[in-house]
Every structure is written in C-alpha cells, then in structure tokens.
Amino acid sequence: MKHLFTLCIALLFFNTISAQLQPVKWTAEAEKISDTEYNIIYQAIIDDHWHLYSQNLPEGGAIPTEFVYDSVAQIQDFKLIGKTQESESITKFDKVFEMDLTFFDGSATFTQKIELLNPEVSVIKSEVDFQACDDERCIFDSQIFNIELPKRNSNSEIFEPVKWMSNVKKLTDDEYEVEYIATIEQGWHLYSQYLERDDGPIATEFTFNKKVGYELIGKTSEPDTKAVFDPVFDMNIKYFSNKARFVQKIKLTDSNLKTIPAEVYFMVCDETRCLPPNRVTFYTPLDGNTSDLIVPVEVDDKSKALSRALNLNVTGWDNFEAEEVKEKSNFTIFLLGFLGGLIALLTPCVFPMIPLTVSFFTKSSGDDKKGLANAMLYGFFIFLIYFLLSLPFHVLDSLDPEILNNVSTNVTLNIIFFVIFIAFAFSFFGYYELTLPASWSNALDSKANKIGGWIGVFFMALTLAIVSFSCTGPILGTLLGSSLSSDGGATQLTLGMSGFGLALALPFTLFAMFPKWLNSLPKSGGWLNTVKVVLGFIELALALKFLSNADLVEHWGLLKREVFIGLWIIIGIGLLLYLLGKIKFPHDGPFQKISFSKWSFIILVFAFVIYLLPGLTNTKYANLELLSGFPPPMFYSLYEKDSECPLALNCYKDLESGLEAAKAENKPIMLDFTGWACVNCRKMEEQVWSQDKVYDVLNEDYIIISLYVDDRKELPKDEQFQFKKANGSLKSIKTIGDKWATLQTLNFKNNSQPYYVLLNHDMELLNHTTAYTPNADEYYEWLVKGLERFEE
C-alpha cells in the first residue's frame, strides 16, 4: 500500500509539475547497419540531481522507462530485433520506494535494433514514457519521435561517430552554464582542447560569438583525462572515449538574448583512420529546451555557386564493383609464437631433455600404451602451462582496455625491458646463468615422483618449464614485449604463447609415438651453444626497440631512425664475425669447420645487413618495409625533408591546378584524399608508393592531386561560404580542409582517409575507388587498370 500511495501522489501532481520541469531532454536518430537493418538510438540528457529510471525495474517501485511502437507498423513496416539495450546504469537502494532501483545520472543511451520489412518506409514513429525523480519530487512524462532513416545508398561510407547535444543551466539572473555533450561511438577518440603541439591531431576548439549579447567567464572546461603517448605523432595526446562534456560559463550583456550561438571544430580517429575535421554550430536556447544544431537557412547566390563547384559530377560508378575490405588475421602471431617454440627446442636447456623424457615414459611405465598416453599428456600439459601464463593479462585488459597500451608506452617500463633484454643477451653469451630458484624445480620434481598419475605428469611438465627458463625466458619476453606494443594486446599474447607451447610440446609426443625417430636426432654438442649465442645477438637487437620507445616518448633524440638502423648493422656485423670464428664467448669450444647449414645462415645474416644499409640514407629505399614497426618512424630522422610531396613525387595541392596539368600533359588523375594526421596515409606512402613499379607509375603516368582534409589554413574571405547539406542544415566552409573534406563526402560518399580515386579529364571513373591497400601488387594492378582505361 505504501508503494501504491507514493505512486498516486506522483501521478496526482504530474500535470502541475511536468508543465514546469523538464529534467530529461531527449533526441533520437537512426544509424544504418545494412540495407535492411538499423539501430534506433535514443539519447537522454539528465539534469543534475535527477534520476531517469531503467526499463527493468521490480514491481511496486518507480515507473520504468518504456519505448512504444505502433503495433500495425511492426507487422507491415518493420520488426524489432531483440530488446532495447541500455547504457551503463546505477543500482542503489531507494529510501522512498524502499527497494533497490536501477537508474541513470547525467545521460543515458538506449539502442533498439530493427529490421525493415517495407523498403518504402523512411520514418520510424515511436514514443518514450518515463519517470524521473530527484530527492524531493518525481515527474512522469512522454515524448513522441519521428525518426528519419538514413538514405539507403550502398556506396556510402560516410562516418559520423560523434553526436553532439547542448544544454543550458541558469546560475543567476544573468549567468548561465552552457554544456556541450559529445556521444562518441565505440572505438573512436575525440581529442582534447589542449594538445602538446600543433603538428599532431586537431584539437577540439569552441568558438563563441561574443558580440551578440553575452561574455565568457573563464575557459571552456572539459573532463579530466590522462595523456597517452602516440608513436605516430611522437607526442602525448589527450582524448575522450564514449562521452565528453564541455562546459562554458557566460554572463548576459543583453537581457533580450534568446539563444547562445557557438561552434565546435573537432577531429576524431579510431585505431586505423582519422576523419577530416568537422564543424558543428549550436544555437542553444536559454529557456532550457534541447538545442538545434546548425539552424537551416537559405544560402545566398554566391554560396550556391561555390557549393555547386564542389560537385565534380563524377560518372562511371556502374562500371565497377564496390571494393572489399580485408581484415588481417591474428594467425600470424600464432605462427611467430610457434617459431619461437621451435627455436627454444634447439637450446641447451631443452634439446637434451627430449630423448631423456621420451625414454622415461616409454620404458618406466612397463606398458607401451600407458607410456604413450603419459607422453601425450605431458605434451598437453606443456601447452596448457604456457597458455595459462597469458591469462592474467586478459584480466588486466578487461579491467582497463587501454592498460596494456599504457604499459607499452611507459618510459620506466620500457627502460626496464631494455635492461632485462640486455641481461638476457649476456646470459646467452655465457657470462652468467639466469635461472629460477633451484628449490622450485627440486620441490616440483619430488612431488612428481611421489604423486604419480596424471598429476605427477603435470608437475613434470611444470618442472621442465622452470628448468628451461634460462633459455625460454628471453623468447617469452620477446612475445610479451611485442604483444604489449601491438593493438592485439592480451589476445595476441595468448595466441603467441599457445603457439610457443604447442611447438615445445610436439616433439615429446611425436617421439613417444615413433621412438625410432630418436635415432635421427643430432647429438648434443657445441652447436647448441652457437644457437644460444645467436639468440643473444637477437636479444641485443630487440633491446634497442624498447629503448627506442622510451626515446620517442621523452624526445631525447638518442635513437633517430638512422642511428637505430646503424646499431642493428653493427650487431649484424658482430654476429657475422662470431659465426666466422673471429669472436669467441666463454662457453665456446675450439673452432670447427663451417658446415653447409652454417654457411647458409651466414649468407642470410650478410644479406640482412646489406638490406639494412639503405636505411641509413634519405632515399625512397630507406623505408625498409620488411621491418615496418621496428625502427623509429620515417619522420624521426636525421635528415631534413626537401619536398612537400611524399617521396619527392610531383604532386598538386589543389584540384584546379592539378586538372590543368593533367590536361596539358594528357595524363590521368589520381585524387589522393589524405591528411597530415593520417597514420595509414603515411604507411601507404612509405610502404606501397615506395615500391619501384608503383613509384614509377605514379611518377611517370599519373598526375597526383593530394587534397589534405585536415588543412586548417583559412580560405580567402571571398571563397568562404556555407554549404547546404541534403538534410537542409548548413556546413561552414572556412578552411582548405573543409573544402576538400566536403568535396570527398559529396562526390564519393566517403569521409575516411586514405582514399584514392582515378579520373580522366571529364571526371569519369577509370577504376573503382580504393582505400588503405597495404599490398603493393594489388595497388599496382589497380593503377595499371586505370591507366589502360584512360588510354582506350
């Protein structure tokens, strides 16, 4: 009865209270998933001290939020797929209702997936019924939505990962607090207003028109966030994920002012691409209603003419199929781990154990089948142990998805890794032994003998892992270091460790199944020590990678790209001298005649040293594609860049002059939509364009027009205008980047970079458009096909 009474009181005063209070402000939009599937996304902005309740509440308490759709439309036009998903909520005990209730503070997002049954439908109608309460009162309200569906254009690849809302809060009679809330799609980053330097990503920037009746109080505040080092931009960068709330206090100078005009200029990136900077204009009503972004108004004749100039009237779309996006498999890291396990088998700590262990299982059991089963179980436990070693990193990753990346860019930890790898290297050289405490292996060995059975076999496998640590540890350390430095994080570490464990386990099982194979194994000897020393040289080279990470973070300038590569060359020469018997280490025996296999390895090392030599130059061959990601980036160089175009190619920075040159030289055009802050653009230039056949085609047969969509240089005043978009809203074209980004979006329904388009002089497509294509052969074929079509 008490709960019912509370509810009745809330409903009794609903009409008077709701007319005065609007503590929750709603927006809704549709996000396209496929030609028939959409996400309907509802955004709620909640005033301070108010709670919006969840859809899922126990009976007898507050009224849950409910989304209602027309029942007839759900049969004829669309159907709901699954339940409406909610953003993260709060569950606490409510003193009024005397029960645990789930609610939202600040903001809430609700997402309903739908499947379209009627392709003619362009609007989805819905209604939300909801209750909101603060510490003293409750309101019950509803809102009706008419949600327009995005146009179903299969060629469109326009990304809008940030949605903006604005809201106002009255502080005094003439002071207000205006908040701008960005809702950011998962995986994307919105950058802070305050960045270290101007040569990185574009910082978020708010512009206010202070001449229209108000003045600013202080600066625009933003949420606290930690800076993360970005090796591509060579700087610490602050960014926001999921949501960001910016607040600006103002004081009115005109009491008749009704709205606060403002503009935000921002850039967003995910792990593989950056979108061109964008502008959003706000007109925030002082009465507290949800603001409209970019008030639709008619543009003048001059702006219309300039807008039409952005439309290239590109034709020929029907002649080409849409490009397929290929994803890279993690299978590569598993193979690298497997290779590491095979290398570990050839070390003095592991190799002699193979015949001893197999003989133990086959002879001590007294039963061939039981011995084979124990050997197979032994191999499985070896694999399992290394797999389990990677699981703690998944716990860290789940607690904070960015923690492994933060670890990989931490200066102190990188220095520690550098020292550890140097220590491992000199251990391999034979100056000392790095082992785990002998008491551990003795205790485990004792338990294996006493317990027996499958548990005893497990302890035998664990003993092997501990005893062989001095040889396997450095290899496992390499897997750990490379995984922390990559986007794959804990997942790639698990794959690498699993591959390592499988390679280490296979010989024990296979030789138990086929004992006669033991006779074919080479005898232990000096060659095992040679393997260890070779691994020592490899550890030295890998240690420099960690020192390089720290150097990039702190800008010490110790390991510029050419210095890093030069040290690798010295290490390679040292390895050659060792293999040729010119250098000796403590555990080396008398020098013996060089075998065929050793000569083969010497030639391989020599070829690698020769391959490194161009990396000391500033030519197009200096990028060393096979080592991409290991040396410092190309921009971290001792040399000055002489050309404004990649690889000193001839390129044009504006469409008009490039088109004139193409006509004058009778060459096809390659539009290169790029950005100063585009990571994959640099990868394409350094790793694909630099290939001889690709470079020659670009240099001799095409006119390259590189259009930088994040160029913040302002256009001349007479070339600035407002572009009217299809939905009636306006986009301000103020900078060169605004112009090229709009041109790309308008003509090619795409706003990510890199993006490449082949055109003739009549703006006809010569081949399908393409984006990031790391395969040089594939990219070359794409260029050649465009050239052949131009010459037809």
Side-chain angles (χ1 to χ4, degrees), residues 633-665:
M634 293 285 286
F635 64 79
Y636 199 59
S637 171
L638 296 172
Y639 299 105
E640 295 285 339
K641 298 296 181 182
D642 297 323
S643 174
E644 292 185 0
C645 297
L647 307 176
L649 287 163
N650 291 320
C651 70
Y652 294 84
K653 297 292 182 65
D654 68 276
L655 187 64
E656 293 77 11
S657 60
L659 180 57
E660 289 179 7
K663 291 179 178 178
E665 299 181 35

Side-chain angles (χ1 to χ4, degrees), residues 662-675:
K663 291 179 178 178
E665 299 181 35
N666 194 30
K667 292 181 179 179
I669 297 166
M670 187 184 80
L671 289 184
D672 166 31
F673 289 100
T674 184

